[in-house]
Amino acid sequence: MSIDGSAERRKQPPQTQTPSTGNGNCGISSMSLANRLRLNPNKEHKPDSYDDLHQLEFSPLLFSSLERYLPPTMLNGSRDLKLQYMRDILLRYSSESERTRVQRHREYRQKIISHYQPVHKELYTMQAAQFFVPSFLKAINENTEDSFRSIMAEPAPGIYTFEMLQPYFCELLLSEVETFERWVIETNFRIMRPNTMNRYGCVLDDFGLETMLDKLMEDFIRPMSRVFFPEVGGSTLDSHHGFVVEYGTDKDAELGFHVDDSEVTLNVCLGKQFSGGELFFRGVRCDKHVNSETQSEEIFDYSHVPGHAVLHRGRHRHGARATTSGCRVNLLLWCRSSVFRELKKYQKDSSNWCGECQREKKERQRQSIAATKLELLKRDGKPTS
């Protein structure tokens, strides 16, 4: 399987539609066919709220996040004008068929939520003091790089590990997932699995946990990602895909070499009793270099500990070794940035975060320096061997 085969069912397709033009307003004569965002956000601008617009094709949070990246002439325009401009940009990512699919998924999700009865309702709202260990909460409340690093280890470049979840939360979530899976069997309801590589597990967003996981991303993962992953949109994470995966001798045993459809991935072991199942990492890659060779310094293996988290770039190539006994269950949150995905189209390369791009850039620099030295030696009449 190609490493790109892991792209889950909700991955946005390539551009299939020319963005529409907007109507002139607020001193702006017209919108260009090539609507574009600023490369750097206006950090002083306070964006409008779009929470009251429930029929939008995209999350209201996404529009508030994008607004700081609008061209300067747009920032003081009406909310409707800004909404149309941003919507035109976002529609580049989804054809009419894709939007129809999204609507059908909403209906599928609503059907589950209207019939499934949660057993642990406290899970469905963010109760930080009960969910997280005190050290994690303290670091988040202080919200500084030093506070984050005080609870983290960085055993390999770009891979951060830390204690995060209390046993109470892990037990509750495991119980809720088991109850949901029994309901699926009893009602013969056909559910969508987390992605194309996992046959076991479930999408937490689909049965009501989306709001809680949004809060987890916005208030806890985004502050850390802003510090450690700014080059891949860590400060502008605005959507997520949250799910649980299950591994064991009678389930998925292992997970092949792949990348995630995310900018930043949170992976937390919930339990239970198991052996094996180590994660193996093999370097960060852009689309161009996703199948390139692994360098020795990029090799790193990680053993799961219940309640402990791993935070890494979605494009950090990885996989999971076989779980040789027991059952391992993990919570994953794929965090995405629409801003980063839009701006990435205009970047010439990914040398600020892709390991292979960095090596190619260094090699070009080395060749340029060597050529310059050779030219200088020729001018001075010195031997060039």
Side-chain angles (χ1 to χ4, degrees):
M1 177 184 291
S2 166
I3 199 168
D4 281 330
S6 66
E8 56 92 23
R9 57 187 167 77
R10 296 196 291 183
K11 185 169 184 179
Q12 294 168 325
Q15 180 175 338
T16 58
Q17 198 174 40
T18 302
S20 62
T21 58
N23 49 358
N25 203 340
C26 298
I28 303 168
S29 59
S30 64
M31 296 185 198
S32 167
L33 278 171
N35 289 353
R36 293 182 63 170
L37 300 173
R38 292 162 51 98
L39 290 177
N40 299 303
N42 184 326
K43 296 180 180 179
E44 305 301 320
H45 177 70
K46 183 178 180 180
D48 282 318
S49 171
Y50 299 86
D51 291 341
D52 58 315
L53 304 177
H54 303 295
Q55 300 304 315
L56 294 173
E57 304 98 319
F58 308 98
S59 164
L61 176 65
L62 192 156
F63 289 102
S64 294
S65 179
L66 277 178
E67 191 175 311
R68 286 192 173 94
Y69 288 81
L70 289 177
T73 53
M74 293 288 301
L75 291 179
N76 294 323
S78 69
R79 188 178 74 160
D80 288 346
L81 178 66
K82 290 182 288 189
L83 178 66
Q84 180 63 42
Y85 189 93
M86 292 185 287
R87 183 174 173 274
D88 285 346
I89 290 175
L90 292 170
L91 287 176
R92 298 179 193 180
Y93 294 106
S94 59
S95 62
E96 183 176 351
S97 61
E98 171 66 8
R99 294 195 298 278
T100 300
R101 189 200 63 77
V102 169
Q103 178 59 34
R104 287 177 178 171
H105 186 78
R106 285 178 179 170
E107 294 168 358
Y108 155 84
R109 181 174 291 181
Q110 187 55 46
K111 186 175 181 180
I112 293 176
I113 292 173
S114 63
H115 289 85
Y116 173 69
Q117 297 298 317
V119 292
H120 300 295
K121 294 184 179 180
E122 59 267 46
L123 277 175
Y124 291 75
T125 58
M126 175 56 68
Q127 301 185 34
Q130 297 182 45
F131 292 177
F132 305 120
V133 297
S135 59
F136 177 74
L137 278 180
K138 183 175 183 293
I140 293 295
N141 288 334
E142 292 179 6
N143 195 22
T144 66
E145 180 174 351
D146 287 343
S147 70
F148 298 146
R149 289 194 180 278
S150 72
I151 63 167
M152 287 179 164
E154 189 179 4
I159 300 172
Y160 301 93
T161 63
F162 49 95
E163 187 179 7
M164 180 180 179
L165 297 179
Q166 292 197 31
Y168 169 80
F169 175 86
C170 296
E171 292 168 6
L172 250 61
L173 185 55
L174 285 171
S175 174
E176 190 71 49
V177 168
E178 289 170 358
T179 302
F180 175 69
E181 290 178 337
R182 283 197 299 270
W183 176 83
V184 168
I185 294 171
E186 291 168 0
T187 59
N188 199 28
F189 194 98
R190 185 177 179 181
I191 62 169
M192 298 179 184
R193 295 301 176 181
N195 53 61
T196 58
M197 300 183 76
N198 288 101
R199 297 173 300 160
Y200 294 89
C202 57
V203 180
L204 300 177
D205 300 311
D206 286 349
F207 62 93
L209 285 163
E210 182 179 20
T211 300
M212 187 275 284
L213 293 177
D214 257 337
K215 196 75 172 173
L216 173 61
M217 180 193 70
E218 293 170 29
D219 294 349
F220 298 90
I221 305 308
R222 191 161 61 190
M224 293 190 294
S225 300
R226 173 183 56 81
V227 172
F228 298 114
F229 306 115
E231 70 286 347
V232 293
S235 63
T236 57
L237 301 176
D238 53 27
S239 65
H240 76 267
H241 175 48
F243 56 97
V244 159
V245 290
E246 303 174 27
Y247 296 92
T249 53
D250 59 341
K251 300 182 183 295
D252 290 324
E254 58 189 6
L255 188 64
F257 192 43
H258 68 284
V259 294
D260 298 336
D261 181 19
S262 69
E263 274 60 76
V264 177
T265 292
L266 173 75
N267 186 341
V268 196
C269 183
L270 300 175
K272 309 172 183 177
Q273 297 295 321
F274 62 91
S275 58
E278 299 86 357
L279 288 179
F280 60 91
F281 290 90
R282 297 297 184 264
V284 183
R285 294 292 188 275
C286 63
D287 291 338
K288 178 182 176 183
H289 297 119
V290 70
N291 289 310
S292 61
E293 293 183 4
T294 299
Q295 305 300 313
S296 59
E297 66 272 14
E298 296 177 317
I299 297 174
F300 172 69
D301 288 7
Y302 170 79
S303 297
H304 289 286
V305 178
H308 287 237
V310 185
L311 193 69
H312 60 85
R313 293 175 183 84
R315 300 296 303 187
H316 206 135
R317 303 181 299 176
H318 61 285
R321 303 192 189 285
T323 298
T324 52
S325 68
C327 178
R328 177 171 68 84
V329 184
N330 280 54
L331 163 66
L332 284 103
L333 195 68
W334 286 358
C335 304
R336 297 158 174 162
S337 167
S338 298
V339 170
F340 174 74
R341 294 184 179 209
E342 169 67 14
L343 297 180
K344 190 168 64 171
K345 296 191 302 183
Y346 310 124
Q347 295 174 349
K348 294 181 179 179
D349 60 36
S350 303
S351 59
N352 62 337
W353 57 270
C354 170
E356 195 62 27
C357 283
Q358 290 175 2
R359 275 183 282 278
E360 289 184 353
K361 185 176 181 178
K362 288 178 181 177
E363 178 59 21
R364 290 193 299 269
Q365 291 173 339
R366 187 195 66 78
Q367 292 178 0
S368 177
I369 292 171
T372 301
K373 287 182 177 179
L374 184 62
E375 182 63 26
L376 292 174
L377 288 173
K378 286 180 179 180
R379 289 179 184 178
D380 294 340
K382 296 179 180 180
T384 58
S385 58

